[in-house]
C-alpha cells in the first residue's frame, strides 16, 4: 500500500566523501559558472551565519507550518548530510529554531536549508553549522504532519534529490548532481585558478584586455554618440 505524502525512505545513495570534499573552498559562483548558471537556489534563501555549506542532501518535504518530519529527519540523517527542507516557501510559521539546529550541529550534520522560515536568528548566527532560510519569524511550527523524507523536493525553484551535493557560501547555494560532479569539480577548479590570476594582475597593475566589450557592442550595432543627451 502506498501513502504518498506521508512516506519515509531510509536509504540515500550518497556520493563518495572524497568527491564531496573536493568542492571545499571553491566559491559557489565559480561552480555555478561551470554549470551554465543553472541549479542556483533562489536568492531569497539566505545564510543565517557565515559557516560554509558543503554536504549531501537529505531531503524533507513538510506541510506548511509543520515540522514533524524534520524532527524525524534529525533522527535519521548522518554526519555530513545537509537536511534540505521543502516547506513550500511559506514564511508564516518558523519550521525550526535554536534547539533543533543546535541538535543538528551536535549530530555532525553539515547544514540545514529551509525553503521557509526559521526563528531564534541571533542564536543561529553563533552556530558552527550553516543554516539557510527564506525568512525569520518568531511564530512557531505545528507538529502534526504529514510529510515525506528522502523524496525529490524543490527549494528556491531548484529540484533537489536525496544524495545531491549541496554547496553554499555568502552568495547562495548551488545543487550538483553527483553524476556530473567530477567534471564540474575540475572545471570549477580551473575557473578559480583563472580568476585568481586575473585578480593578482589587477592588484599588480597589469592592464586587462577588454577589447571583447567593443567587439560585442559592434555586433549589436550599438550607437556611440560623441555628444550630450538631449
Amino acid at each position: 500500500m502506498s501513502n504518498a505524502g506521508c512516506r519515509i525512505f531510509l536509504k540515500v545513495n550518497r556520493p563518495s566523501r572524497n568527491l564531496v570534499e573536493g568542492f571545499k573552498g571553491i566559491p559557489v559562483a565559480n561552480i555555478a559558472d561551470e554549470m551554465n548558471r543553472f541549479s542556483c537556489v533562489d536568492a531569497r534563501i539566505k545564510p543565517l551565519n557565515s559557516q560554509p555549506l558543503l554536504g549531501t542532501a537529505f531531503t524533507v518535504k513538510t506541510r506548511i507550518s509543520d515540522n514533524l518530519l524534520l524532527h524525524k529527519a534529525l533522527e535519521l540523517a548522518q554526519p555530513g548530510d545537509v537536511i534540505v527542507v521543502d516547506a513550500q516557501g511559506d514564511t508564516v510559521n518558523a519550521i525550526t529554531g535554536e534547539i533543533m539546529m543546535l541538535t543538528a550541529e551536535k549530530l555532525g550534520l553539515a547544514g540545514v536549508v529551509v525553503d521557509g522560515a526559521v526563528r531564534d536568528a541571533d542564536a543561529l548566527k553563533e552556530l558552527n553549522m550553516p543554516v539557510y532560510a527564506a525568512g525569520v519569524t518568531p511564530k512557531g511550527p505545528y507538529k502534526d504532519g504529514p510529510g515525506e523524507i528522502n523524496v525529490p523536493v524543490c527549494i528556491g525553484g531548484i529540484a533537489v534529490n536525496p544524495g545531491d551535493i549541496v554547496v553554499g557560501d555568502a552568495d547562495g547555494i548551488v545543487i550538483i548532481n553527483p553524476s556530473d560532479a567530477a567534471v564540474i569539480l575540475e572545471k570549477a577548479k580551473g575557473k578559480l585558478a583563472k580568476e585568481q590570476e586575473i585578480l593578482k594582475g589587477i592588484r599588480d597593475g597589469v592592464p586587462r584586455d577588454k577589447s571583447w566589450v567593443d567587439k560585442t557592442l559592434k555586433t549589436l550595432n550599438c550607437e556611440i554618440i560623441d555628444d550630450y543627451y538631449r
Side-chain angles (χ1 to χ4, degrees):
M1 184 178 82
S2 176
N3 191 12
C6 194
R7 300 178 297 182
I8 296 172
F9 292 89
L10 297 178
K11 294 182 178 180
V12 176
N13 189 15
R14 296 175 175 86
S16 73
R17 198 66 215 163
N18 285 341
L19 179 59
V20 176
E21 288 296 323
F23 288 94
K24 188 174 183 179
I26 300 180
V28 167
N30 290 153
I31 299 169
D33 281 353
E34 298 305 329
M35 297 178 69
N36 291 296
R37 280 79 171 177
F38 284 104
S39 298
C40 296
V41 172
D42 190 272
R44 63 187 174 77
I45 298 181
K46 301 181 183 301
L48 274 294
N49 57 39
S50 60
Q51 299 298 322
L53 176 68
L54 177 62
T56 52
F58 189 97
T59 63
V60 178
K61 184 180 290 187
T62 70
R63 181 175 66 83
I64 286 175
S65 303
D66 191 280
N67 74 357
L68 177 66
L69 273 292
L70 178 54
H71 278 279
K72 187 61 181 178
L74 287 174
E75 296 179 13
L76 299 174
Q78 297 180 10
D81 284 345
V82 176
I83 294 183
V84 177
V85 184
D86 178 357
Q88 304 178 57
D90 183 79
T91 56
V92 174
N93 294 72
I95 295 298
T96 189
E98 180 181 11
I99 292 174
M100 294 177 75
M101 293 300 91
L102 182 58
T103 300
E105 179 189 307
K106 295 302 180 183
L107 289 170
L109 301 190
V112 176
V113 179
V114 181
D115 192 352
V118 299
R119 62 179 179 179
D120 305 323
D122 284 342
L124 300 186
K125 290 177 185 176
E126 303 302 319
L127 287 180
N128 293 314
M129 181 195 74
V131 178
Y132 287 70
V136 177
T137 179
K139 190 176 181 181
Y142 301 98
K143 307 178 190 305
D144 307 313
E148 296 185 304
I149 289 177
N150 287 326
V151 298
V153 298
C154 181
I155 59 163
I158 301 300
V160 183
N161 291 298
D164 281 352
I165 299 173
V166 184
V167 190
D169 58 21
D171 286 348
I173 300 170
V174 66
I175 306 298
I176 306 167
N177 186 318
S179 64
D180 301 323
V183 173
I184 292 169
L185 176 57
E186 291 309 308
K187 292 170 70 175
K189 285 179 178 178
K191 178 74 171 181
L192 176 58
K194 183 177 179 180
E195 287 197 356
Q196 288 175 334
E197 184 178 344
I198 291 171
L199 290 169
K200 182 180 184 301
I202 293 171
R203 295 187 184 100
D204 293 342
V206 178
R208 290 187 65 198
D209 179 10
K210 300 287 295 226
S211 60
W212 64 269
V213 175
D214 286 334
K215 288 178 181 177
T216 303
L217 291 172
K218 186 176 181 179
T219 64
L220 295 170
N221 294 319
C222 181
E223 186 179 9
I224 298 177
I225 304 164
D226 187 14
D227 199 355
Y228 300 103
Y229 175 80
R230 291 184 178 85

